[in-house]
Amino acid sequence: MRVDIVSIFPEYFAPLDLSLIGKARANGTLRLAVHDLRDWTHDVHRTVDDTPYGGGPGMVMRPEPWGEALDALAPDELSPDGHTLPRLLVPSPAGVRFTQAMAHELATESHLLFACGRYEGIDQRVLDHAATRMRVTEVSLGDYVLFGGEVAVLVILEAVTRLLPGVLGNAGSLAEESHAHGLLEAPMYTKPATWRGHEVPEVLRSGDHGRIARWRRDEGLLRTAARRPDMIAALPPESLDKRDRAA
Ligand SMILES: N#Cc1c(-c2ccc3ccn(Cc4ccc(CN5CCOCC5)cc4)c3c2)n[nH]c1N
């Protein structure tokens, strides 16, 4: 997967050299490039923002630098390797909610292009023009307000990269993790069996894998009911058996 990120704070993405994303870049699974939007400005001050039409607080990101950046990173003509246009992701407080389902969808794309806004956001015409030639998605992490899109790109990129083949050593954990089967995962424990007077639940040390599986499902169901009743409501009815309904 090719990923291009455009931001006025490219240094925000230094963490992408670390850990499993760093390994995915080193082995070619992820081909990532971070670009400074100011490289597409032409004035001495490298200006990227201006006052909003219609008044209101703050500043808006000018369309010209963004237009030139997207032209450069998403050229209309097919590249020699038959490369098609990228999927443009624009983090925004007004975006559709980012979910694990969207992470799976994005993990199937060959080229993602992230536009990181700052100030009050990017001039709408940038997105409208981009949408005439590529798929554009405004995406939000949730109902809280950030300074800009960079943190959202780090989150989205981590959620997508871990779904790419070979990135997560133990692919089994992908199948088991919460949000994969609609429930939060059960509590996890490791050695020692007793720590500061707290015992690991006996069932987990029983070696009875049937009991363990049932305990984990029950605990996941209880946690989900307590913390995320919305996820319970979204479960397909057939996924809850009589025991679950009694819980
Ligand atoms: N993903 C994600 C995000 C973002 C996000 C993503 C991208 C950008 C680019 C600029 N910002 C700052 C910003 C904050 C608030 C507002 C709304 N304004 C409406 C008019 O009154 C003033 C306030 C706009 C822009 C961003 C924030 N926030 N929360 C998420 N889940």
Side-chain angles (χ1 to χ4, degrees):
M1 175 184 284
R2 175 184 166 185
V3 174
D4 287 291
I5 302 171
V6 183
S7 166
I8 59 172
F9 294 117
E11 57 275 19
Y12 238 96
F13 299 97
L16 295 178
D17 293 331
L18 306 172
S19 184
L20 291 179
I21 289 192
K23 287 191 180 127
R25 295 178 69 182
N27 68 24
T29 300
L30 190 64
R31 289 176 291 121
L32 175 73
V34 182
H35 310 273
D36 186 341
L37 177 69
R38 295 186 195 274
D39 290 349
W40 285 282
T41 60
H42 306 290
D43 62 302
V44 68
H45 299 296
R46 310 185 84 201
T47 310
V48 293
D49 64 313
D50 205 333
T51 54
Y53 273 117
M59 302 291 273
V60 175
M61 299 192 93
R62 295 172 51 233
E64 299 94 331
W66 278 111
E68 290 187 31
L70 299 186
D71 289 349
L73 298 171
D76 274 330
E77 65 278 359
L78 281 183
S79 56
D81 64 357
H83 185 66
T84 56
L85 283 166
R87 175 95 178 259
L88 178 60
L89 279 301
V90 185
S92 160
V96 294
R97 177 68 63 87
F98 179 66
T99 62
Q100 188 68 9
M102 190 184 289
H104 280 282
E105 179 196 334
L106 296 178
T108 66
E109 298 281 352
S110 58
H111 184 188
L112 297 180
L113 175 50
F114 290 96
C116 296
R118 279 275 160 169
Y119 308 102
E120 295 308 315
I122 301 171
D123 186 301
Q124 182 61 38
R125 291 168 294 180
V126 173
L127 284 71
D128 295 345
H129 182 267
T132 65
R133 58 199 199 87
M134 68 187 100
R135 188 171 173 192
V136 179
T137 306
E138 280 188 78
V139 58
S140 168
L141 291 189
D143 294 337
Y144 41 82
V145 182
L146 303 172
F147 281 123
E150 285 79 7
V151 166
V153 170
L154 286 169
V155 168
I156 294 166
L157 203 46
E158 181 156 320
V160 171
T161 302
R162 64 194 300 278
L163 299 176
L164 298 179
V167 172
L168 205 55
N170 172 15
S173 57
L174 272 183
E176 284 311 302
E177 64 189 0
S178 61
H179 304 280
H181 48 65
L183 291 177
L184 300 181
E185 62 263 354
M188 304 295 283
Y189 300 85
T190 185
K191 293 185 282 299
T194 301
W195 177 74
R196 295 189 181 182
H198 295 268
E199 299 280 332
V200 171
E202 176 276 330
V203 62
L204 296 180
R205 292 181 289 125
S206 68
D208 181 336
H209 296 294
R211 274 187 67 206
I212 292 168
R214 282 192 303 278
W215 181 87
R216 283 178 166 161
R217 175 164 170 72
D218 291 349
E219 287 296 313
L221 197 56
L222 288 169
R223 263 185 167 189
T224 309
R227 299 176 185 178
R228 292 293 304 276
D230 59 298
M231 289 175 69
I232 296 283
L235 283 174
E238 64 275 11
S239 67
L240 293 175
D241 62 30
K242 284 196 296 297
R243 238 170 29 90
D244 294 333
R245 290 194 181 83

